[in-house]
Amino acid sequence: MPEAVWLTPFIHVPVPDDGAELRYCQEAVDQVLRFFGLLVFGQNEWAGQPFELLPWQEQIVREFYGVQVRDDDGSWVRYRRFLYNEIPKKNGKSEFAAGLGLYHLLADGESRPNVGIFAVDKENADIIYQCAKYMVENTALSRPEHKPLAWCRDSVREIRTRFGGVMKVYSGDVENKHGPSFSAILCDELHAWKGRKGRARWEVLTTGSDAARRQQTVLVLTTAGDDPDRASIGWEVHEKCRRLLAWRQGKPERPGDMDDPEWLPVMYGVSVLTGDDPDKLKDLDIYDEELWKACNPSYGVTMNARKFRAAARAAKQSEAAERSFRWLRLNEWISTKDVGWLPLTLYDKTQIGPSAKKEREAWVREHLTGKRCFGGLDLSKTTDLTAFVLVFPPQPGLETAVVLFRAWKPRQTVLEAEKADGMPFRDWERAGFLSLCAGDMVDFRDMVEAVLEAKELYELLYLGVDAHLADTLTPQLQDAGVRVISISQTMVGMSPAMKEVERLLRKREMLHVHNTCARWCFGNVRCAVDGNENTKPMKDRSIGRIDITVAW
């Protein structure tokens, strides 16, 4: 263990190598705690209730605001400049950040405070702003009405004070960040500050920006990141803070590691518990509730234990759900670029009707003819697999939703495709799972004919298409009376449908007509998952064709 100076029986710091004089100031801590006593929670079911700091939040206040150093002029100022709080989602991070931001705006002793809120984009930064706005407008901070202590200006996303202070959401661009002299900087979800732009934003905000401020504060509040390449500024700061903690605990990871007294890292999650060691992460029992509590200091308070257990059950059934569980619930920095979607066993358990071609086609005619349905069309770039899927919702004659698949490949290149994919496409054609088109590319006229045939056989309500590849087909189909909807092939455009399909399959409320080609596509799907638990199938990362599943 490095030599430490104990400022209280519960708070100690490494002995400064420059001989700096330190102290613990209870008055400074009490000032922050009293300020939070003026606030209310700003979102979810606790909105409007008194803001009661949880033990882990109060400890941060004590360690960050209570430890002071004697400045060159003899005055006492905060010892730390950077507070790095890495914690899983739903632990109250945004509320805490909003409260700290308002403290620096109104009570930290700056004559003209300038508090900047930064995130990867304004929409993310707006989460903290909306919390802070609610706190202002629902407490004494917005009074008296004719001359309030603070007020909000939504048009420019800022909170101003009677004394000239401002707390403002800033854009992600770095060009206009050199000028302002920030007294406090709130960096939200640093893990998402990727690429050169994210690194430039961090460097502009933190390098030399404290020159005109006596005790500038940089508050970094983030979850773990999805950064398999380990190249982002978020990962770099995470590594710095994790190694700082290891050094302060007497377990340096590298020979040259040393302390950086400007930083206070407060980190929760399996990444810091295991030191990001892949073997230790692999051996963890991620379904141990004691581990959940260790990673989530707000477990059972702001984080609902029942819902946490439900997320754990889902993680046992899906690679994508396990990835999200590790990342967002246990705060593991993700090292894989993609994950599978759902197990093939789930697909196999949700078949309806017979498997043999003749009996299967008879079942479709008997049970689906004339029924209401929705279509999805995934067009290939002429040489790949093209898919058309119909989903029949529950209706008279159908107790559950039923899915019917169709697919096409060019006949002339089928031998090459069988060698490349290792699949018996010609056998699948004979079994009725796939159609082979004449020539060396898929003829889109076949697709138009198939959609119009479906319109005649069934009550086709809407057809979803990918706008980028359906420009020529859409006018033809619309002229024939087909109502066409453009579906964005983005995370936002596809995640809701993927989640709904998963929900229905797991509850056995969506069944499918047997199709081996569709089963192959289902098993090939690899997904990208973002920080909001949105999921999107990735054709370029999947282990084979997935076109039928995308159309689904």
Side-chain angles (χ1 to χ4, degrees), residues 328-345:
L328 303 175
R329 307 296 185 191
L330 302 181
N331 228 32
E332 177 180 333
W333 278 77
I334 296 300
S335 58
T336 56
K337 292 192 176 184
D338 47 64
V339 295
W341 183 34
L342 298 174
L344 271 174
T345 51

Side-chain angles (χ1 to χ4, degrees), residues 398-471:
L398 290 180
E399 294 183 359
T400 65
V402 174
V403 186
L404 182 63
F405 307 108
R406 290 195 65 178
W408 294 263
K409 281 191 74 70
R411 183 178 296 278
Q412 192 169 316
T413 58
V414 70
L415 291 177
E416 299 170 17
E418 286 184 344
K419 291 179 181 178
D421 293 321
M423 291 295 120
F425 294 120
R426 288 172 295 171
D427 290 345
W428 286 353
E429 181 200 25
R430 287 189 287 271
F433 302 139
L434 175 72
S435 297
L436 296 177
C437 308
D440 61 355
M441 61 181 62
V442 173
D443 190 339
F444 284 173
R445 288 176 296 184
D446 292 346
M447 310 303 104
V448 173
E449 182 179 333
V451 172
L452 297 182
E453 179 185 355
K455 183 174 178 292
E456 293 299 317
L457 289 173
Y458 318 111
E459 186 182 346
L460 181 60
L461 301 176
Y462 292 97
L463 176 70
V465 299
D466 177 0
H468 294 292
L469 290 176
D471 290 344

Side-chain angles (χ1 to χ4, degrees), residues 485 518 544:
I485 299 175

Side-chain angles (χ1 to χ4, degrees), residues 276-472:
D276 288 311
D277 185 307
D279 293 331
K280 292 180 180 178
L281 286 168
K282 185 178 178 181
D283 292 340
L284 277 179
D285 178 8
I286 65 170
Y287 304 109
D288 179 359
E289 191 159 358
E290 292 305 312
L291 177 65
W292 304 348
K293 295 175 182 178
C295 294
N296 295 274
S298 302
Y299 186 82
V301 185
T302 65
M303 180 170 289
N304 184 288
R306 179 179 59 81
K307 292 181 179 179
F308 205 105
R309 296 186 191 103
R313 285 195 297 272
K316 292 180 179 180
Q317 303 175 56
S318 162
E319 189 179 351
E322 181 185 335
R323 183 179 189 268
S324 293
F325 186 77
R326 286 178 172 273
W327 175 16
L328 303 175
R329 307 296 185 191
L330 302 181
N331 228 32
E332 177 180 333
W333 278 77
I334 296 300
S335 58
T336 56
K337 292 192 176 184
D338 47 64
V339 295
W341 183 34
L342 298 174
L344 271 174
T345 51
L346 184 59
Y347 178 91
D348 293 337
K349 291 176 181 177
T350 51
Q351 177 181 325
I352 190 171
S355 298
K357 180 181 180 181
K358 185 176 180 180
E359 290 80 2
R360 186 177 70 243
E361 292 175 345
W363 187 94
V364 168
R365 287 193 298 271
E366 178 182 352
H367 292 87
L368 301 183
T369 300
K371 295 288 193 297
R372 290 181 288 109
C373 63
F374 300 87
L377 186 62
D378 185 70
L379 299 172
S380 67
K381 295 179 180 178
T382 68
T383 58
D384 293 332
L385 192 68
T386 289
F388 177 42
V389 174
L390 294 173
V391 176
F392 297 80
Q395 55 194 290
L398 290 180
E399 294 183 359
T400 65
V402 174
V403 186
L404 182 63
F405 307 108
R406 290 195 65 178
W408 294 263
K409 281 191 74 70
R411 183 178 296 278
Q412 192 169 316
T413 58
V414 70
L415 291 177
E416 299 170 17
E418 286 184 344
K419 291 179 181 178
D421 293 321
M423 291 295 120
F425 294 120
R426 288 172 295 171
D427 290 345
W428 286 353
E429 181 200 25
R430 287 189 287 271
F433 302 139
L434 175 72
S435 297
L436 296 177
C437 308
D440 61 355
M441 61 181 62
V442 173
D443 190 339
F444 284 173
R445 288 176 296 184
D446 292 346
M447 310 303 104
V448 173
E449 182 179 333
V451 172
L452 297 182
E453 179 185 355
K455 183 174 178 292
E456 293 299 317
L457 289 173
Y458 318 111
E459 186 182 346
L460 181 60
L461 301 176
Y462 292 97
L463 176 70
V465 299
D466 177 0
H468 294 292
L469 290 176
D471 290 344
T472 57

Side-chain angles (χ1 to χ4, degrees), residues 243-244 246-247 251-259:
R243 287 165 54 195
L244 266 177
W247 184 91
K251 303 174 183 177
E253 296 184 6
R254 301 178 188 177
D257 283 355
M258 61 181 64
D259 195 29

Side-chain angles (χ1 to χ4, degrees), residues 207 386 476 547:
T207 305
T386 289
Q476 298 178 50
D547 307 79

